[in-house]
Amino acid sequence: TVDSAVNTTNSLTLGTGGAYKLQGAVGSTVPLARLATQGNVQLFLSDNVTTTGNQTYGSAQAVQLAGDVTLTGNTASFTGGLNGATNDLVLNFSGLTTIDGSSTFANIGDLTSAGPTALNGTIQTIGNQTYSGNVSLIGATTLQGNAGTFSGTVAGGDNDLTLNFTAETTIDGSQSFANIANLTSLGDVSLNGSIQTNGFQNYAANVSLAGDVNLTGTVGTFASGVTGNNNSLSFNFTGGTTSLAGLFTNIATLTADSDVSVNGTVETNLDQKYNANVTLAGASTFTGNAGFFSGAVEGGGNDLTFNFTQETTIDGSQTFANVANLTSIGDVSLNGTIATSGDQNYAANVTLAGTTTLAGNTGSFASGVAGENNSLTLNFSGGTTALSGDFANIQTLTALSNVSLNGGI
């Protein structure tokens, strides 16, 4: 063991070359003031190191762990990196810990940082990485291991962050997760709060919501859907179209303030609000309480199904076109031109919010149309349009193709 003499605060500096092996605890009885390495020293640590001041591992050689180690002090920096040799490392510094993975910071069992941490380069663990304090990025950073947890803030400094964990990564944006350039999560991730990037956000695996989540950046990509756990999701990506692929399920309210591309099923327990344009990249189904589509809907030749408990609002004045087959299982409010290459099937009540033109292959109305004194034009060229139920309060009704009548017009 190595201790400062009683009633003293002495420092220890190890230089210039060769290897030093500290096989016992350092500063466990009387902490050192500071510990430093310099030159080309290779340091082996087998036990804990405690200082009242800073620990500066400034040697060009990586620190080698020969056992599970806890480092305690004011601040710490690792210039030459660290090789964990599968051992656990706990960093317990009240000031800033600086980890520069551009040299090598790898092969650690579990890594825990209790205080504020500055990251750069690649940090690789066999086990988990836990950042209990605030994290700042001082360069492009990649974190790789089993699972990652961020309990404090993450200040990106306009640097890229890549998360490559086998198990789920936990990001708590309620503590501020902001000013990141591009964010990439290659493994499963649990999100909470606001996640803000200056560039894109790419979620390549499963996403779950641990609380209400707001995502902002330039472009967003979801490759494997989102499990909402009855939390709300809103996003506003201003630089392009956000890709929603896979199953989006058990979300409370979904709000998209920017363009989206959808391929799959989007299911909410409450409302879905699309305040910009929607493009279908595959057959898509929207299910929830109520749906609002304020921008254009570009079908891309794909089928579209609405299954909302309350009324769905479709504003065709913004362009609603190139859908293959359109099915509305619940009530729907229509305005403008709704064009499909296939069929349009309205299984419940239809209300006109403005002058409306419907065009496609065939049309089917199971429960009539409430016109609200607006005009309706039907132009289905592939067969007979079935008009059932009460068609009322329509200003002008024009049928440019064959119709079958059953009810009141």
Side-chain angles (χ1 to χ4, degrees):
T1 61
V2 178
D3 290 292
S4 183
V6 176
N7 296 324
T8 67
T9 53
N10 295 308
S11 300
L12 174 63
T13 300
L14 304 174
T16 12
Y20 290 87
K21 296 182 179 180
L22 301 180
Q23 296 179 322
V26 176
S28 61
T29 303
V30 182
L32 303 182
R34 293 176 297 278
L35 174 65
T37 64
Q38 60 187 25
N40 201 36
V41 165
Q42 187 164 43
L43 177 63
F44 291 83
L45 294 177
S46 300
D47 210 330
N48 302 333
V49 177
T50 303
T51 59
T52 58
N54 304 335
Q55 296 181 31
T56 305
Y57 300 94
S59 169
Q61 296 286 333
V63 175
Q64 305 286 322
L65 299 187
D68 295 341
V69 170
T70 297
L71 305 179
T72 302
N74 181 42
T75 67
S77 61
F78 300 83
T79 301
L82 182 143
N83 185 346
T86 74
N87 295 292
D88 294 345
L89 175 62
V90 177
L91 304 171
N92 187 17
F93 293 93
S94 56
L96 184 67
T97 301
T98 302
I99 300 176
D100 188 358
S102 63
S103 47
T104 291
F105 208 94
N107 203 23
I108 302 164
D110 291 328
L111 172 63
T112 302
S113 182
T117 309
L119 301 177
N120 179 39
T122 299
I123 317 297
Q124 182 264 328
T125 58
I126 299 165
N128 302 331
Q129 296 184 30
T130 303
Y131 299 94
S132 301
N134 298 330
V135 173
S136 59
L137 305 184
I138 55 176
T141 300
T142 298
L143 305 180
Q144 179 179 347
N146 180 57
T149 301
F150 299 85
S151 301
T153 66
V154 175
D158 200 28
N159 296 293
D160 291 346
L161 176 60
T162 300
L163 306 173
N164 188 9
F165 292 100
T166 306
E168 188 174 71
T169 303
T170 301
I171 299 176
D172 188 0
S174 66
Q175 302 295 319
S176 179
F177 199 99
N179 200 25
I180 296 165
N182 299 306
L183 172 64
T184 301
S185 178
L186 299 175
D188 295 349
V189 63
S190 172
L191 304 179
N192 181 36
S194 295
I195 315 296
Q196 180 264 325
T197 57
N198 303 325
F200 63 73
Q201 296 182 31
N202 177 20
Y203 300 96
N206 300 316
V207 175
S208 63
L209 306 184
D212 293 342
V213 172
N214 180 50
L215 307 177
T216 57
T218 57
V219 179
T221 302
F222 298 85
S224 297
V226 173
T227 300
N229 297 309
N230 201 30
N231 296 295
S232 294
L233 173 63
S234 61
F235 49 81
N236 187 9
F237 294 101
T238 58
T241 300
T242 300
S243 176
L244 310 184
L247 178 62
F248 283 64
T249 184
N250 199 21
I251 299 169
T253 298
L254 174 66
T255 303
D257 289 319
S258 52
D259 294 350
V260 297
S261 170
V262 180
N263 182 14
T265 298
V266 181
E267 172 200 310
T268 57
N269 301 326
L270 297 174
D271 299 343
Q272 297 181 32
K273 301 175 183 178
Y274 299 92
N275 297 323
N277 301 322
V278 176
T279 301
L280 305 184
S284 299
T285 299
F286 298 85
T287 300
N289 179 60
F292 302 90
F293 296 80
S294 301
V297 175
E298 167 55 45
N302 297 293
D303 291 347
L304 174 59
T305 300
F306 295 124
N307 188 7
F308 291 101
T309 306
Q310 302 297 321
E311 188 175 72
T312 304
T313 301
I314 302 175
D315 187 0
S317 66
Q318 301 296 319
T319 302
F320 195 104
N322 204 24
V323 176
N325 297 304
L326 172 64
T327 302
S328 179
I329 297 173
D331 295 350
V332 63
S333 171
L334 304 179
N335 180 36
T337 298
I338 315 296
T340 59
S341 57
D343 302 335
Q344 295 184 31
N345 177 21
Y346 300 96
N349 300 317
V350 174
T351 301
L352 304 184
T355 300
T356 301
T357 297
L358 305 179
N361 183 52
T362 64
S364 175
F365 297 83
S367 297
V369 172
E372 304 292 342
N373 201 32
N374 294 294
S375 296
L376 174 62
T377 300
L378 305 174
N379 187 11
F380 293 99
S381 58
T384 300
T385 301
L387 308 184
S388 298
D390 187 17
F391 282 64
N393 198 22
I394 299 171
Q395 188 178 75
T396 300
L397 174 62
T398 304
L400 300 177
S401 52
N402 296 334
V403 295
S404 170
L405 304 179
N406 182 14
I409 310 294

